Amino acid sequence: MVKETVWRPESKSKYHSVLYDGGMTRRGSYAKGIAKREEILTVALDVIARHGYRGASVREIADAVGLSQAGLLHYFDSRDELLTAVLTKRDEVDAPAPAEEPFEALLRIVAHNAEVPGLVQLYAQLSIEATDPAHPAHEYFVARYERLRSMFADGIRRAQAAGAMRADADPETTATAIVAAADGLQAQFLLDPSIDMAAGLRALIDGLRL
């Protein structure tokens, strides 16, 4: 067994002496790191939902999970990387059930978003900043839009084949418009919380149904 002194940024003291036994302990430390990262993201989701993009500082999130700011940034290289990971976590939590119709899933998620305006603010702000290819969220948004367009286009094709949606609606173009409408309604909601995002999207989608 080897004794090693390592820096633990989340610790209140400067150094801890850690005993480890080869790969077994390294694997255990890795698993603990993954668990802590998930805890941070779960807490960050709640903090941002309550306080918004600008109100949720690294310090506040770190305090909520019992870490120093340096300890928090041990798991994420920057605040932008943390916020991007929060959006990914939100997508995991909101993911449609296997049998859920994609447009009903979208309406469910958008209705829920009205209850967590801080996360809507985070999404809207990062989507603008991420147009810079160097931004940590750039690839997240590129992949997300591709995934949503593909999912909704497939949903339109299935509905058309079942005779439940207008045959003259081009699947790809219509899917792109639905995604754009969802984002646009979120921006309007942030400016005027009386806007009913789900109702606006339902009107658009119902206009395509037969």
Side-chain angles (χ1 to χ4, degrees), residues 96-106 147-167 169-172 175 208-210:
E100 192 173 15
E101 196 267 343
F103 300 111
E104 290 304 316
L106 173 64
R147 183 176 72 254
L148 290 178
R149 289 194 299 266
S150 176
M151 180 177 70
F152 294 138
D154 287 345
I156 291 168
R157 291 189 191 94
R158 289 195 298 271
Q160 288 173 330
M165 191 166 282
R166 286 169 38 187
D170 178 75
E172 281 75 20
L208 298 169
R209 300 186 194 274
L210 294 176

Side-chain angles (χ1 to χ4, degrees), residues 83-116:
L83 295 177
T84 302
V86 167
L87 288 179
T88 301
K89 183 66 176 178
R90 186 192 70 159
D91 288 347
E92 293 174 4
V93 173
D94 290 345
E100 192 173 15
E101 196 267 343
F103 300 111
E104 290 304 316
L106 173 64
L107 293 168
R108 169 182 60 79
I109 292 168
V110 169
H112 172 67
N113 284 348
E115 301 172 6
V116 286

Side-chain angles (χ1 to χ4, degrees), residues 184-197:
L185 282 164
Q186 288 191 132
Q188 292 185 61
F189 167 77
L190 291 173
L191 293 167
D192 178 1
S194 69
I195 296 291
D196 189 333
M197 297 182 288

